[in-house]
Amino acid sequence: MKNHLFDGLLEGISPDRQFAKIPGTRSADREIKTRYYTYQHVLDVSAKLANRLVKLGLVPGDRVAVQVPKSIEMIMLYLATVRAGGVFLPLNTAYTASEVAYFLEDATPAIFVCDPNDADAYSDLAQRLGAKLETMGVWQAPDIFAGTMLEEQPPESTSFDSVERAPDDLAAILYTSGTTGRSKGAMLTHENLLSNSRTLAQLWQFTKKDVLLHALPIFHTHGLFVASNVSLISGCSMIFLPGFHNDDVIEHLPTATAMMGVPTFYTRLLGDARFTRKLAQHMRLFISGSAPLLAETHIEFEQRTGKRILERYGMTETNMNTTNPYDGERKAGTVGFALPNVEVNICDPSSGEILPQGEIGSIEVKGPNVFCGYWNMPEKTAEEFRENGFFISGDLGKVDEDGYIQIVGRSKDLIISGGYNIYPKEIELILDELDGVVESAVIGVSHPDFGEGVVGVIVPRDSGFDPKAALAEISDKIARFKQPKVLHVVDSLPRNTMGKVQKNILRETYKETFAKN
Ligand code: MLC
Ligand code: AMP
């Protein structure tokens, strides 16, 4: 009997080795001690939680939606869901109640695990949808877990016979924002996740001896499926931080060997004088992805530390597609080569014909990493796959003279801010609904910290329009990171002869919005 993903990830582990160190914190009124987790704990706690899920009524194929603060227990809940044959559905902790309602209505989970602080707010919704509402919070004191999922009365058994799951069975659904405003649930199979983590661990030469500094959120591909799965499959250890803060990263870097991050992590470190060559000298590997790493950041990083960041390229729908080499030239401004067994083509966007080397075209991907479709959206799935099985990424790229893939832009109207995807259409629909607004356009312009920052351009009904009041009005409708950081007011939007808003003109006009003084 085999659970493809769980058994595959945990195959070669040594139970006594450390899986994670969760550094303690001290505040004025309490101290939380540093905690250590072994691989034996991974087996035991994931078994306890799997038993719990089954008692709650989970049957194979059921979705377990989760919006909880980052914790090692959330990773255990992911593994428990997989062991019990369920489908893990993590949600960004920044999503508002109305955004969460959409995901739950669409995915109809059997169980929804939320932050204990949000339980009251979600109880009606969970009841209406017939989902069991459970809670999971952060570690509160040496012996206190917060939340119903971790209550130990009566204690759950540490043995659980993992439910048999085949490579093509679903393991997770991750929602990506949609170009039309509606988010789509990307369905990922056991094999999608296992094959990708196996390949990455091997290519990036992860071993049991590694210590990964984990400062990413774990509700997205990067922090969950790349960082955590690669750690599990290589049997290495993690220093598990609640988020990215320079002080913590600088404190813990000396005991790590590798770090994965979005470009903002690296620009923030470079902006900190404490981040020196000495501090980084023992590090084996710095990896960047989820957003473009500027060539200048790559070069400045090397000048400061003597290390070259390894940039790779992926998507929620595909996990990782390409990587720069571990041994060999890591070329700034490129995302390297297709992973083994993954085909990446640069194609003519309309015909799908492969273009000659050097020409810019649509990046299309096929391989064991590529998802099996969007939840409940067969038409959208069909639209984004070619007949030959290639997935149309929405990114534009080319192959350079040395065979490295470069991402040169996007055919999808997408903003990537600090590694989070934001689809302008979703924000425009919300702005357009405001009383004083005739129409709006949302664009991303250069931002010194987040790479791109969200800017709204508004055509108001009259001169009484107040941008501050408008921003306040949308504040509980969408996650904070998606909200425009600035609203510009104009008489009309620039349009081409077809009537389409010319966002390139707006991006040029407002490019200095976040310029450093
Ligand atoms: C936070 N804020 C952001 C933001 N993150 N605004 C725009 N873009 C972001 N990414 C806003 C908050 O709303 C808040 O606004 C203010 O910034 C401070 O919030 P914070 O929580 O203190 O921010 P901080 O902890 O500094 O977070 C920044 C960050 C974080 C860069 C560390 O965003 C992050 O961890 N990003 C990683 C995202 C990621 O993992 N992406 C992978 C996707 S998977 P205010 O106004 O209230 O002050 C993927 C596939 C692949 O893409 O290839 O990997
Ligand atoms: P998401 O849907 O959140 O998984 O984001 C995927 C998108 O992030 C891709 O389609 C790319 O546009 C972008 N992306 C990921 N990695 C890189 C990278 N290294 N360079 C440029 N863009 C990237």
Side-chain angles (χ1 to χ4, degrees), residues 176 221 288-293 311-317 335 393 395 407 410 412 414 416 419 421:
T176 70
T221 298
S288 177
S290 307
L293 181 77
E311 186 173 7
R312 81 342 172 243
Y313 157 59
M315 287 183 77
T316 301
E317 287 93 332
V335 293
S393 69
D395 292 310
I407 298 177
R410 300 166 202 143
K412 52 196 173 190
L414 165 71
I416 304 185
N421 282 9

Side-chain angles (χ1 to χ4, degrees), residues 269-489:
L269 285 173
L270 286 171
D272 194 317
R274 296 171 299 172
F275 184 64
T276 58
R277 181 173 283 253
K278 190 157 175 274
L279 195 84
Q281 72 186 8
H282 67 288
M283 286 288 282
R284 183 177 72 75
L285 188 57
F286 289 99
I287 299 174
S288 177
S290 307
L293 181 77
L294 296 179
E296 66 197 53
T297 308
H298 191 281
I299 293 161
E300 196 188 336
F301 196 90
E302 186 179 8
Q303 283 165 350
R304 175 85 65 92
T305 64
K307 311 271 173 193
R308 284 184 156 223
I309 297 174
L310 183 153
E311 186 173 7
R312 81 342 172 243
Y313 157 59
M315 287 183 77
T316 301
E317 287 93 332
T318 62
N319 296 281
M320 298 305 103
N321 299 314
T322 75
T323 180
N324 266 279
Y326 184 83
D327 292 316
E329 175 77 359
R330 297 178 194 166
K331 211 170 169 187
T334 81
V335 293
F337 308 102
L339 301 183
N341 301 321
V342 175
E343 292 172 78
V344 177
N345 288 340
I346 309 293
C347 302
D348 178 298
S350 16
S351 68
E353 296 283 315
I354 299 178
L355 294 172
Q357 181 168 11
E359 285 192 23
I360 294 174
S362 150
I363 301 182
E364 308 194 355
V365 192
K366 190 175 174 183
N369 55 323
V370 176
F371 77 134
C372 62
Y374 294 113
W375 176 258
N376 277 342
M377 289 187 179
E379 309 81 22
K380 281 264 165 240
T381 306
E383 271 169 31
E384 298 193 22
F385 278 91
R386 299 248 181 228
E387 271 174 15
N388 60 7
F390 275 77
F391 172 64
I392 305 166
S393 69
D395 292 310
L396 299 174
K398 67 173 191 178
V399 179
D400 77 6
E401 62 288 357
D402 301 316
Y404 288 70
I405 295 167
Q406 272 177 20
I407 298 177
V408 299
R410 300 166 202 143
S411 57
K412 52 196 173 190
D413 189 13
L414 165 71
I415 301 167
I416 304 185
S417 176
Y420 287 142
N421 282 9
I422 299 159
Y423 278 92
K425 190 76 194 164
E426 185 187 357
I427 322 299
E428 287 160 4
L429 289 173
I430 288 172
L431 291 172
D432 290 350
E433 269 180 20
L434 297 177
D435 264 354
V437 173
V438 176
E439 60 173 346
S440 66
V442 168
I443 51 171
V445 300
S446 175
H447 188 287
D449 188 27
F450 295 127
E452 288 183 290
V454 180
V455 168
V457 185
I458 301 281
V459 179
R461 272 193 208 295
D462 54 46
S463 58
F465 179 77
D466 176 359
K468 272 204 183 119
L471 286 175
E473 219 179 314
I474 65 166
S475 67
D476 62 349
K477 296 203 168 88
I478 39 167
R480 187 94 183 128
F481 70 84
K482 297 182 193 169
Q483 292 171 25
K485 297 197 184 296
V486 173
L487 288 183
H488 293 293
V489 176

Side-chain angles (χ1 to χ4, degrees), residues 5 30 34 59 81 109 125 146 149 159 170 203 236 238 274 311 378 401 403 416 487:
L5 177 58
R30 62 181 179 164
T34 297
V59 294
T81 304
L125 174 70
M149 280 307 284
S159 93
L170 280 196
L203 286 181
C236 82
M238 298 193 280
R274 296 171 299 172
E311 186 173 7
E401 62 288 357
I416 304 185
L487 288 183

Side-chain angles (χ1 to χ4, degrees), residues 82-95:
V82 170
R83 287 187 82 171
V87 179
F88 194 65
L89 196 172
L91 294 166
N92 192 323
T93 47
Y95 288 152

Side-chain angles (χ1 to χ4, degrees), residues 5-14 18-20 38-39 42-43 46 72 75-76 78-79 194 197-198 201 206-208 212 223-238:
L5 177 58
F6 182 78
D7 293 347
L9 285 176
L10 276 294
E11 208 166 29
I13 54 143
S14 311
Q18 187 171 302
F19 170 59
T38 63
Y39 274 89
V42 174
L43 300 174
S46 66
I72 259 313
I75 303 261
M76 297 306 119
Y78 150 60
L79 294 173
L194 184 61
S197 38
R198 212 170 247 155
F206 272 82
T207 71
K208 287 189 167 61
L212 178 78
L224 187 62
F225 300 140
V226 185
S228 307
N229 280 356
V230 163
S231 298
L232 285 162
I233 204 160
S234 60
C236 82
S237 177
M238 298 193 280

Side-chain angles (χ1 to χ4, degrees), residues 5 47 52-53 71 98 126 137 176 180 211 243 266 293 370 374 390 443 472 497 499:
L5 177 58
R52 187 68 177 239
L53 291 172
S71 69
S98 58
T176 70
T180 54
V211 180
Y266 296 110
L293 181 77
V370 176
Y374 294 113
F390 275 77
I443 51 171
T497 45

